[in-house]
Amino acid sequence: MIVATLTRVSRVLEMACLFIGALCLLYMVGVVGLNVLARIVFDVSDTAVNWMIPGAIEQVSYLLGIVVLAGLSASMAHGMIAVDFIVDRLPQFWKILFIRFWFLGVVAFALVLSWLLYKDMLATFSRGEASQDLRIPMYLIYGTYAVECLALAIIALREACINDGQHQELS
């Protein structure tokens, strides 16, 4: 029952990470593309016309973190890149044990990262820190990163519970 609930919750988190990652990636491509075109107009007009997006580099840099963490979470069940030169030679029992131990390591790493990002979120909130160009409150960015790391931990925990040693990328 716990594994079934964990599976349902992690599937929802996977879909949410895919959705958030896709939205942020589309926005990033749009901002970069528009800024490239605006830079061309800026250069052609001899700096008379400046249509560049304010804070574009800042937007893209913070969104890149969101996209990477969302991609990690969403790809966890679909087979991360693995070099199984040694593990594939093990008997099935040891292979499953090794893979589940690996996912438990990912859970621990994601939980520690989530905790540290949560503490950064609280610290930046209390200090009232904001980003340099757009004045985005930094606690929102750190909070988003912390939630995505927590989602990664839950999805990796599911994989640690149900993974049977078969990799989809090797099938």
Side-chain angles (χ1 to χ4, degrees), residues 4-7 11 62 86 90 93 110 118 136-137 154 158-159:
T5 303
L6 181 64
T7 301
R11 296 276 183 225
Y62 290 131
I86 297 173
L90 296 173
F93 172 78
Y118 173 73
I136 301 168
I154 292 169
R158 178 203 60 209
E159 287 300 308

Side-chain angles (χ1 to χ4, degrees), residues 5-26:
T5 303
L6 181 64
T7 301
R8 281 194 306 277
V9 168
S10 64
R11 296 276 183 225
V12 170
L13 289 174
E14 269 184 79
M15 292 299 115
C17 286
L18 275 173
F19 181 72
I20 290 168
L23 279 180
C24 290
L25 193 58
L26 286 172

Side-chain angles (χ1 to χ4, degrees), residues 151-167:
L152 175 62
I154 292 169
I155 294 167
L157 181 61
R158 178 203 60 209
E159 287 300 308
C161 292
I162 67 170
N163 197 298
D164 61 357
Q166 301 300 317
H167 295 287

Side-chain angles (χ1 to χ4, degrees), residues 78-126:
H78 302 294
M80 297 179 71
I81 296 173
V83 179
D84 291 335
F85 179 71
I86 297 173
V87 177
D88 273 348
R89 297 181 187 334
L90 296 173
Q92 188 66 17
F93 172 78
W94 291 105
K95 183 192 296 188
I96 292 170
L97 191 66
F98 185 82
I99 290 170
R100 289 184 177 182
F101 181 73
W102 165 257
F103 280 116
L104 286 176
V106 173
V107 169
F109 175 73
L111 286 175
V112 167
L113 198 56
S114 183
W115 174 253
L116 292 173
L117 288 165
Y118 173 73
K119 291 187 64 100
D120 281 345
M121 179 192 74
L122 293 178
T124 56
F125 179 76
S126 66

Side-chain angles (χ1 to χ4, degrees), residues 29 68 80-81 132:
V29 168
V68 167
M80 297 179 71
I81 296 173
Q132 184 176 355

